Amino acid sequence: MIALILGLAIGFLMCIPVGPINVWVVNTLLKHNFRSAFSIALGGSVMDFTYFMIILTGLSLFSFTPKMTMFFKVAGVIFLFAFGLKEILSPSQSFEEDEDTKKKIPRASSFFLLGVLIYTSNPTLIATMSGLAAIIKSWHAFDFNYFNYFFLSLGIAVGSASWFFLLLKMVQRYQNRIPQKFFHHFSRTSGVLIVMFSLFMAFKVYKEVYL
């Protein structure tokens, strides 16, 4: 029980700082709908659970060579840079959708997979979560066993999903009071932030290879 409560608190708090997935989720709400945006968040939450279970239990589901690992890191940087650039260069659009536009929105499963991809494309995520797992273990707040690891990981996933649910509800509630011009600026800013984050990750990859 302690592991679950601790996980809920950590999962909620660690998602509050503005990051690429926060920006992407809000931007998706403004452009599409709540369901699509929350599907991205759920994809990220599932990866939170998966990563923490693997790190805490020491499981290795897949065996990657250093070259394969580097390939995924580089691909992740390119992926985020390309999507960020797309947001910057995309023409202004109306955020109020007609019926024809709504029919063209991809299914929620596509946005869920996008959330998974955003998380897995972050080359610094494993290191960050490994550090967080080490800190949690140093607290000795619960017995170290698979049962508690499962509930800690589950709590972190539910906590992160709860933050995104609250964030989206707040944005949705005040969406009609915000001028259209703000949405256009937000979309461009989203792209800039994502591009900056991808460049930061590119620098991390560069340091790993050459320094």
Side-chain angles (χ1 to χ4, degrees):
M1 191 64 178
I2 293 176
L4 179 62
I5 294 172
L6 188 62
L8 286 169
I10 292 172
F12 187 89
L13 293 173
M14 75 178 187
C15 290
I16 293 177
V18 176
I21 196 161
N22 273 3
V23 171
W24 219 316
V25 164
V26 173
N27 204 29
T28 301
L29 171 65
L30 298 178
K31 284 188 170 183
H32 299 301
N33 52 44
F34 181 93
R35 181 176 156 188
S36 299
F38 193 59
S39 294
I40 294 177
L42 287 179
S45 296
V46 167
M47 293 312 298
D48 280 333
F49 174 83
T50 304
Y51 278 146
F52 262 90
M53 274 299 292
I54 292 173
I55 292 168
L56 290 169
T57 60
L59 294 176
S60 180
L61 301 181
F62 302 97
S63 178
F64 293 116
T65 65
K67 285 186 178 180
M68 290 175 64
T69 302
M70 185 54 61
F71 169 79
F72 283 118
K73 290 181 179 181
V74 172
V77 169
I78 295 172
F79 168 78
L80 285 180
F81 182 83
F83 270 81
L85 205 60
K86 178 177 174 291
E87 290 295 330
I88 296 172
L89 300 178
S90 61
S92 298
Q93 66 178 82
S94 173
F95 288 94
E96 294 179 1
E97 298 173 327
D98 53 29
E99 290 302 318
D100 290 334
T101 305
K102 288 180 180 179
K103 291 178 182 178
K104 298 177 183 178
I105 298 176
R107 285 190 263 177
S109 58
S110 299
F111 287 101
F112 177 86
L113 292 175
L114 176 60
V116 171
L117 189 54
I118 293 171
Y119 258 62
T120 54
S121 67
N122 185 346
T124 64
L125 191 61
I126 292 291
T128 302
M129 288 194 166
S130 296
L132 181 56
I135 292 171
I136 294 171
K137 283 187 173 184
S138 71
W139 293 341
H140 298 286
F142 51 82
D143 295 332
F144 300 147
N145 54 53
Y146 284 102
F147 181 81
N148 282 330
Y149 288 155
F150 173 83
F151 279 102
L152 175 65
S153 302
L154 179 63
I156 286 172
V158 174
S160 66
S162 299
W163 158 252
F164 285 114
F165 183 86
L166 179 62
L167 174 65
L168 290 172
K169 281 298 182 183
M170 288 172 60
V171 174
Q172 191 178 47
R173 179 176 180 181
Y174 296 104
Q175 183 176 347
N176 294 331
R177 304 182 192 179
I178 303 174
Q180 285 281 315
K181 198 175 214 181
F182 172 82
F183 293 145
H184 297 309
H185 288 312
F186 182 86
S187 183
R188 296 287 193 284
T189 304
S190 300
V192 171
L193 289 174
I194 291 168
V195 166
M196 289 175 62
F197 184 74
S198 70
L199 293 175
F200 170 74
M201 292 197 305
F203 177 68
K204 287 278 191 181
V205 173
Y206 172 81
K207 281 178 62 179
E208 188 176 328
V209 174
Y210 296 104
L211 300 180

